[in-house]
Amino acid sequence: MTAAQLIEMQKPKAKPRVDREGPIHRAILDHLRIVLPPQTVIHHSPNAIGLSGQQIMRQIALNEAMGTVKGFPDLTCILPGPRFWLFEVKAEGNYPDKDQRALHDRLRGLGCAVAVVRDTFDVDEAIASWGGVDGPLTDRQLRDMIVGGSEE
């Protein structure tokens, strides 16, 4: 065994990255497809990149050159009107960073509705605060009809 191989074996191995937001993101996307009017366009902005080192730096530079905006919300919903609803998906305990907060404020200034959401209930609350939609009932509305009111 060479010295380089021995050194490589002694390096601590990085723990596999756990995707905490991916399952939440997919559940929210499925929910939006149900509760929003069928003509709504829902778009995911893939700002996270599964690369490291020089590869990530090259990819970020390429993405920025192609128009990627740092801090852009994860999901954009364009509804009739048009209305622009943007959702930043965060796992419990995670919060928008400085760039995200600044861009969210800028988007709100342009008339977009922006919310940080952690589950489908947060989505429903944001939609209700924005005046609701003319479409199918949300999961929360259905539950409230069945159980006779909010559980909160």
Side-chain angles (χ1 to χ4, degrees):
M1 178 176 294
T2 67
Q5 290 170 325
L6 183 59
I7 291 170
E8 186 63 33
M9 286 177 46
Q10 293 175 346
K11 286 183 183 178
K13 300 294 180 195
K15 292 181 183 176
R17 188 170 179 267
V18 176
D19 181 9
R20 294 177 51 220
E21 288 181 3
I24 298 165
H25 180 106
R26 287 185 289 279
I28 287 171
L29 180 59
D30 290 343
H31 184 70
L32 289 169
R33 288 177 173 153
I34 293 168
V35 301
L36 297 181
Q39 63 271 41
T40 301
V41 174
I42 304 172
H43 171 74
H44 165 65
S45 296
N47 289 331
I49 303 169
L51 302 172
S52 62
Q54 290 297 333
Q55 290 177 319
I56 195 168
M57 300 311 290
R58 281 193 297 274
Q59 191 62 52
I60 288 170
L62 176 63
N63 288 358
E64 288 177 356
M66 297 299 290
T68 298
V69 176
K70 187 174 183 180
F72 201 84
D74 298 306
L75 294 169
T76 301
C77 303
I78 305 172
L79 292 91
R83 291 179 286 172
F84 294 85
W85 292 355
L86 300 119
F87 296 95
E88 179 64 42
V89 178
K90 292 291 181 188
E92 195 63 42
N94 291 349
Y95 298 91
D97 64 27
K98 178 182 171 186
D99 292 323
Q100 290 171 320
R101 290 190 307 271
L103 184 58
H104 295 177
D105 288 343
R106 185 173 167 202
L107 291 165
R108 287 183 188 106
L110 292 170
C112 299
V114 182
V116 176
V117 295
R118 299 176 191 289
D119 55 35
T120 59
F121 294 116
D122 287 350
V123 170
D124 290 345
E125 287 175 359
I127 290 172
S129 75
W130 300 331
V133 295
D134 298 322
L137 294 175
T138 65
D139 288 350
R140 178 167 283 176
Q141 290 168 321
L142 289 170
R143 187 194 69 222
D144 289 349
M145 289 171 56
I146 294 166
V147 299
S150 178
E151 294 177 10
E152 297 179 72

